[in-house]
Amino acid sequence: MGLWRRDRAGQPVGAGLVHHSDAGSQYTSFRFTTHLLDAGIDASIGSVGDALDNALMESTIGLYKTELIKPRGPWRSLAQVELATAEWIDWYNNQRLHSATGHVPPAEYESMFYAQPQPREVVGANS
């Protein structure tokens, strides 16, 4: 099992951890993966551009946890979390105010954007 330290129960110190990578070549090697597994760390390497591995998604999940999950816990049931999540998503998309949108809710801002006349594409331009 290599030179990895073990806890009192004999489990690798990293047991239960997941290693997330930016998919650099040094992290995709077989040897590196073997070291992670020996330490009890599950590798989590998605494809480049994977929606679940991008910064925007991670940032939104961080907001969700900070604004909803942590302050309103402890949660008693999955149904309670699901209902609160649906309410938070509705607030996030339809009521949340942000200075970047002139303090207009996102759904309203998007509607205003698409209601504006869009520039017409000139056929043959830059050909």
Side-chain angles (χ1 to χ4, degrees):
M1 279 266 179
L3 302 174
W4 298 98
R5 294 187 357 212
R6 298 193 172 274
D7 64 15
R8 291 182 183 154
Q11 295 297 313
V13 172
L17 297 178
V18 175
H19 172 265
H20 292 279
S21 156
D22 65 352
S25 61
Q26 72 272 27
Y27 296 113
T28 58
S29 75
F30 178 77
R31 186 171 185 182
F32 183 76
T33 301
T34 301
H35 285 305
L36 289 175
L37 294 174
D38 284 347
I41 300 171
D42 295 328
S44 174
I45 299 176
S47 59
V48 175
D50 192 346
L52 298 178
D53 281 341
N54 69 34
L56 178 60
M57 189 62 159
E58 290 175 12
S59 183
T60 304
I61 290 171
L63 281 173
Y64 165 74
K65 288 178 179 178
T66 300
E67 295 176 353
L68 176 73
I69 297 300
K70 291 175 184 173
R72 291 195 29 200
W75 299 93
R76 305 281 183 231
S77 68
L78 178 59
Q80 188 182 31
V81 173
E82 288 174 341
L83 179 60
T85 298
E87 290 170 347
W88 185 82
I89 291 170
D90 178 66
W91 168 81
Y92 190 87
N93 290 332
N94 298 300
Q95 300 166 24
R96 172 179 58 104
L97 303 178
H98 194 285
S99 61
T101 62
H103 299 285
V104 174
E108 185 179 332
Y109 186 83
E110 184 178 16
S111 294
M112 289 175 5
F113 174 82
Y114 287 113
Q116 295 174 2
Q118 301 299 313
R120 297 174 56 103
E121 184 177 325
V122 178
V123 178
N126 298 327
S127 296

